[in-house]
Amino acid sequence: MNFDELKQVVEALLIATPEPLSESRFLQCIDTEIDVSLENIIEALSQDYQKSGRAFEIIQVAGGYQLVTKEDYQIYIKRMFAKSSRLRLSQAALETLSIIAYRQPVTRNDIDAIRGVNSDSPLRTLLERKLIQIRGRDEGQGRALLYRTTVEFLQYFGLNTIKEMPKLREIEELIDNDELSFV
Amino acid sequence: MNFDELKQVVEALLIATPEPLSESRFLQCIDTEIDVSLENIIEALSQDYQKSGRAFEIIQVAGGYQLVTKEDYQIYIKRMFAKSSRLRLSQAALETLSIIAYRQPVTRNDIDAIRGVNSDSPLRTLLERKLIQIRGRDEGQGRALLYRTTVEFLQYFGLNTIKEMPKLREIEELIDNDELSFV
Amino acid sequence: MSNLNKNMYRIDLEMFEGPLDLMLFLIKKDEINIYDIPIAKITKDFLQYVELAKEMKLSKAGDFVLMAATLMKIKVRMLLPVEESDNENIEDPRTDLVNMLLEYKRFKEISQELEEKEKLQGQHYYRIPLESGNVDITASESLEDVQMYDLMVTFRYLLQNYEEPLSHNVYLEKVSIADQMIFLKQKLMLSKTVKFSELIPLLQSRLVLVITFLAILDLVKGNQIKIKQSQLFDELLVMKGEKFEF
């Protein structure tokens, strides 16, 4: 396969995939030796799209590449989805998700303890939206169910890996420079 | 909006929706008077795609237009879906799998009784996917075959043993917490 | 509580995620040093909100009451005399509370950053491919990603609609129209629309297929279900009707 053919295959895969296309999955699909990386092909495609003024672009997310519409068109697409428009997450769901992202795998009790309130309802929302998953049980007594984030979580927030999460501030930092102004 | 801008909007809409884009839905999205038809815009886009050798094309289906990959790339896309890390099951297969997971070892008759329908076809699918296996026979008369989940099942759901499956009580806690608190 | 006070605290309590959130608000409002929280004052302030929460019958009221109890316990312990000799080893009774507040605050900050990311990423729409594109992937498959939660919810649904048989090993071969009406309704409880073509492989025999079809006609007549077809020879879609009952 020459470079142009490879570009077309990658494009077809991007159009057809509901999940990010990673280098390894791409190599499984073409099933032959090539001397360019997926990154090179993606770069070339991105340039094509830019030059020809396409309404979409390729982003790097959740360890792979995905095709998304450019932000300029969100107003039109929103109207198309008017009735089933995407609901933003509640404050409770965002707090719960932050804790799971950093403490995973984590039990419901641990989440409740940090939030100071019962988290059943946000947990249910997050499970239904597939942003978190139930993964095994705690070793400790009680053997509580453990929660983790999913690939959809990374996609939803545009993160490439969990390491791209905003940094959790050290407690000392919280005290030193804070809008809370602990006089 | 000039013609080029309209083309981009249509392209963005086609990328974002899996359902056919109809003339009426398109007009709702742009929310302004225009003097070209969707058909004209689609034609122009199709020509663009053909000229620039894109791996996708626009097809006309019941009630509108859809963006699909060209047939030439079927083989790669098939491989991609085969290697998908996600488990996609029909409702019937999901129901059958949930019964086996919770009631194992279980006979086909028991599964049918709970589902209220014959489960041959989903059982076959689950066997093919190696999520379930046939092991042993029922003690009772009839000595029916017994179905169980497999090691692959445990791996996919991140369980060490089948005992780690969430208990019914834990499900209720999560799902009906609000209602239960009234009792 | 006096009317004046009520007005002072007319802040929607729902806007606080919980007692820790409210505590952080009070600390910020009064520019309190978090390492030297004036427990008596903050307990008093906090209790006024709790009273309001009780009046409003908030679901979170219990969590607020619990925190109030903790505050009062700390207050009492701060009043107890400390023995001179133990002075160095004695922990400030507020330490646990301070740590909880700081820990919660760390995650609250993160959740605000996540909210920003959500907004940003929400401007882009992912390409959502057709179920299987124009690629021939085993048609009956590929619905949605299945996770443990789906298994749990599905099993629970099934059990709710199923009565355990009292005696075992009795299997009637007969299928009645009434049975198939229940079967159809069960399907509609699980998904909004059901394709008729998806039902066919679930039916054991041609006889059952005919009976199921009669059940559909019966339910349509009673307005319990609706049938839609976008055009001739297109997929038959079954969905709940106006008088759907289960």
Side-chain angles (χ1 to χ4, degrees):
Chain A
M1 262 191 281
N2 66 34
F3 193 70
D4 274 346
E5 284 167 341
L6 280 172
K7 255 169 48 178
Q8 285 173 317
V9 171
V10 170
E11 183 172 77
L13 294 175
L14 287 174
I15 286 285
T17 183
E19 50 194 305
L21 181 68
S22 65
E23 174 108 37
S24 63
R25 208 151 60 100
F26 165 62
L27 290 175
Q28 284 170 342
C29 292
I30 56 166
D31 200 23
T32 164
E33 295 279 310
I34 52 164
D35 51 7
V36 283
S37 67
L38 177 58
E39 199 185 333
N40 292 143
I41 302 168
I42 293 286
E43 247 166 54
L45 272 176
S46 291
Q47 276 174 22
D48 285 2
Y49 296 162
Q50 215 175 343
K51 259 188 247 159
S52 56
R54 298 269 72 94
F56 51 83
E57 58 190 346
I58 302 171
I59 60 164
Q60 193 169 7
V61 74
Y65 298 95
Q66 220 163 2
L67 206 80
V68 297
T69 58
K70 286 193 181 165
E71 57 198 49
D72 316 6
Y73 307 99
Q74 59 165 320
I75 171 166
Y76 307 106
I77 300 170
K78 255 189 200 158
R79 286 195 197 125
M80 181 167 63
F81 291 134
K83 276 178 197 152
S84 59
S85 83
R86 291 189 273 187
L87 281 178
R88 288 269 164 80
L89 292 172
S90 68
Q91 203 55 50
L94 285 167
E95 280 182 24
T96 307
L97 200 48
S98 308
I99 295 167
I100 297 173
Y102 280 96
R103 290 287 155 85
Q104 58 187 318
V106 65
T107 67
R108 199 189 55 180
N109 272 341
D110 290 338
I111 300 166
D112 287 354
I114 294 177
R115 294 192 59 230
V117 281
N118 177 294
S119 304
D120 280 347
S121 159
L123 277 175
R124 200 165 56 221
T125 309
L126 294 169
L127 282 166
E128 265 155 24
R129 294 185 65 166
K130 296 200 189 292
L131 296 170
I132 60 167
Q133 57 184 329
I134 295 171
R135 233 29 211 174
R137 282 182 189 280
D138 193 16
E139 299 278 305
Q141 64 174 157
R143 318 258 311 131
L145 296 175
L146 290 171
Y147 294 89
R148 279 177 192 279
T149 55
T150 59
V151 171
E152 282 89 341
F153 162 79
L154 296 175
Q155 269 178 284
Y156 186 75
F157 292 101
L159 302 168
N160 199 23
T161 73
I162 193 79
K163 287 185 193 130
E164 281 183 9
M165 277 289 285
K167 219 177 128 242
L168 198 60
R169 284 212 278 165
E170 293 303 323
I171 301 267
E172 298 78 52
E173 281 179 284
L174 277 180
I175 306 297
D176 288 346
N177 48 12
D178 205 293
E179 79 278 12
L180 274 190
S181 70
F182 301 117
V183 188
Chain B
M1 260 190 283
N2 65 34
F3 194 69
D4 274 346
E5 285 167 342
L6 281 170
K7 257 172 41 180
Q8 286 172 318
V9 172
V10 170
E11 185 172 76
L13 294 174
L14 287 172
I15 286 283
T17 177
E19 279 149 43
L21 180 69
S22 65
E23 175 107 36
S24 62
R25 204 147 70 106
F26 164 62
L27 290 174
Q28 275 171 14
C29 293
I30 54 165
D31 199 24
T32 164
E33 295 280 309
I34 51 164
D35 52 6
V36 283
S37 68
L38 177 59
E39 200 184 330
N40 292 144
I41 302 168
I42 294 286
E43 247 166 53
L45 271 177
S46 290
Q47 275 174 23
D48 285 0
Y49 296 162
Q50 216 173 344
K51 260 189 246 159
S52 55
R54 298 267 74 94
F56 50 83
E57 59 190 349
I58 302 171
I59 57 165
Q60 192 169 8
V61 288
Y65 300 94
Q66 264 172 336
L67 200 89
V68 295
T69 52
K70 285 193 185 163
E71 272 181 44
D72 318 9
Y73 308 99
Q74 278 218 28
I75 172 168
Y76 306 105
I77 296 169
K78 263 190 190 168
R79 280 192 204 134
M80 180 173 68
F81 278 102
K83 303 287 183 197
S84 169
S85 56
R86 299 187 191 180
L87 180 62
R88 289 159 196 282
L89 293 175
S90 66
Q91 185 63 38
L94 174 60
E95 285 179 25
T96 307
L97 185 60
S98 77
I99 295 167
I100 297 171
Y102 277 101
R103 284 286 164 90
Q104 61 187 309
V106 63
T107 67
R108 205 193 56 186
N109 271 336
D110 289 337
I111 299 167
D112 288 356
I114 295 177
R115 290 192 58 227
V117 280
N118 177 292
S119 304
D120 280 351
S121 156
L123 279 173
R124 207 163 45 234
T125 309
L126 294 170
L127 283 168
E128 273 166 23
R129 301 267 187 107
K130 294 195 167 60
L131 291 165
I132 60 165
Q133 58 186 329
I134 298 173
R135 269 197 36 207
R137 283 180 183 277
D138 195 13
E139 299 280 301
Q141 63 173 158
R143 314 247 317 124
L145 295 172
L146 289 172
Y147 291 86
R148 295 169 196 272
T149 54
T150 59
V151 173
E152 283 85 350
F153 170 87
L154 293 178
Q155 276 166 356
Y156 182 81
F157 290 103
L159 304 169
N160 287 316
T161 75
I162 199 66
K163 285 188 193 129
E164 287 185 356
M165 282 285 290
K167 305 241 181 321
L168 264 186
R169 175 182 52 76
E170 289 167 318
I171 304 173
E172 317 256 273
E173 265 175 26
L174 208 56
I175 298 176
D176 313 312
N177 202 39
D178 313 335
E179 297 130 73
L180 281 181
S181 58
F182 282 112
V183 188
Chain C
M1 206 186 319
S2 72
N3 275 334
L4 186 83
N5 268 341
K6 236 182 205 169
N7 285 334
M8 267 174 71
Y9 296 101
R10 277 219 67 84
I11 295 169
D12 191 0
L13 261 177
E14 283 286 5
M15 93 185 210
F16 297 108
E17 284 306 322
L20 292 172
D21 206 11
L22 173 56
M23 284 288 287
L24 284 179
F25 169 78
L26 292 174
I27 287 170
K28 187 180 172 187
K29 186 174 70 99
D30 295 340
E31 297 190 349
I32 288 169
N33 176 354
I34 199 163
Y35 280 126
D36 191 17
I37 299 174
I39 286 293
K41 180 182 185 315
I42 215 156
T43 306
K44 194 173 135 245
D45 285 359
F46 192 89
L47 283 174
Q48 283 178 310
Y49 282 96
V50 172
E51 282 308 311
L52 204 62
K54 278 190 193 155
E55 275 176 47
M56 290 166 67
K57 293 200 169 61
L58 278 189
S59 57
K60 294 176 208 153
D63 295 310
F64 284 95
V65 171
L66 201 70
M67 174 60 81
T70 307
L71 285 173
M72 287 191 277
K73 212 163 75 192
I74 295 174
K75 198 171 128 186
V76 169
R77 276 181 55 197
M78 302 230 355
L79 292 173
L80 294 178
V82 176
E83 288 200 22
E84 289 286 321
S85 57
D86 288 343
N87 214 354
E88 274 173 26
N89 297 329
I90 291 238
E91 223 187 299
D92 189 324
R94 298 170 294 187
T95 305
D96 282 349
L97 177 66
V98 171
N99 287 339
M100 266 173 83
L101 283 168
L102 288 173
E103 179 79 338
Y104 173 69
K105 182 163 167 42
R106 292 167 87 197
F107 286 106
K108 196 167 169 61
E109 282 184 354
I110 294 292
S111 73
Q112 281 153 0
E113 287 194 55
L114 277 185
E115 196 173 11
E116 280 305 305
K117 284 187 181 294
E118 180 187 36
K119 221 181 278 172
L120 247 132
Q121 196 62 13
Q123 298 176 335
H124 300 282
Y125 285 81
Y126 284 99
R127 162 78 179 151
I128 307 169
L130 310 177
E131 284 263 292
S132 51
N134 53 354
V135 177
D136 176 34
I137 292 167
T138 44
S140 64
E141 293 316 313
S142 89
L143 259 179
E144 260 201 272
D145 296 348
V146 172
Q147 286 177 356
M148 180 56 76
Y149 185 64
D150 305 296
L151 278 187
M152 295 162 68
V153 172
T154 305
F155 184 62
R156 184 171 159 279
Y157 262 118
L158 289 170
L159 279 196
Q160 278 179 341
N161 301 325
Y162 169 71
E163 276 177 43
E164 300 274 352
L166 289 175
S167 75
H168 232 53
N169 293 339
V170 183
Y171 299 112
L172 285 179
E173 285 289 297
K174 266 195 225 153
V175 176
S176 69
I177 293 182
D179 287 342
Q180 291 313 86
M181 283 164 76
I182 291 169
F183 159 58
L184 285 164
K185 286 178 180 176
Q186 274 174 346
K187 284 271 146 204
L188 286 172
M189 293 298 283
L190 290 169
S191 62
K192 256 195 234 145
T193 58
V194 176
K195 290 179 186 161
F196 188 64
S197 66
E198 282 174 358
L199 295 175
I200 295 170
L202 306 176
L203 307 171
Q204 280 152 304
S205 63
R206 203 167 294 177
L207 180 67
V208 181
L209 178 65
V210 171
I211 290 171
T212 309
F213 198 75
L214 291 173
I216 290 181
L217 293 179
D218 221 321
L219 288 171
V220 170
K221 205 171 71 186
N223 244 336
Q224 293 227 54
I225 62 169
K226 281 187 300 195
I227 297 215
K228 266 197 185 162
Q229 191 177 32
S230 27
Q231 60 183 44
L232 200 58
F233 302 124
D234 213 336
E235 184 77 64
L236 266 183
L237 295 174
V238 183
M239 54 198 82
K240 285 183 193 170
E242 281 154 19
K243 296 193 179 152
F244 183 87
E245 263 180 348
F246 195 76

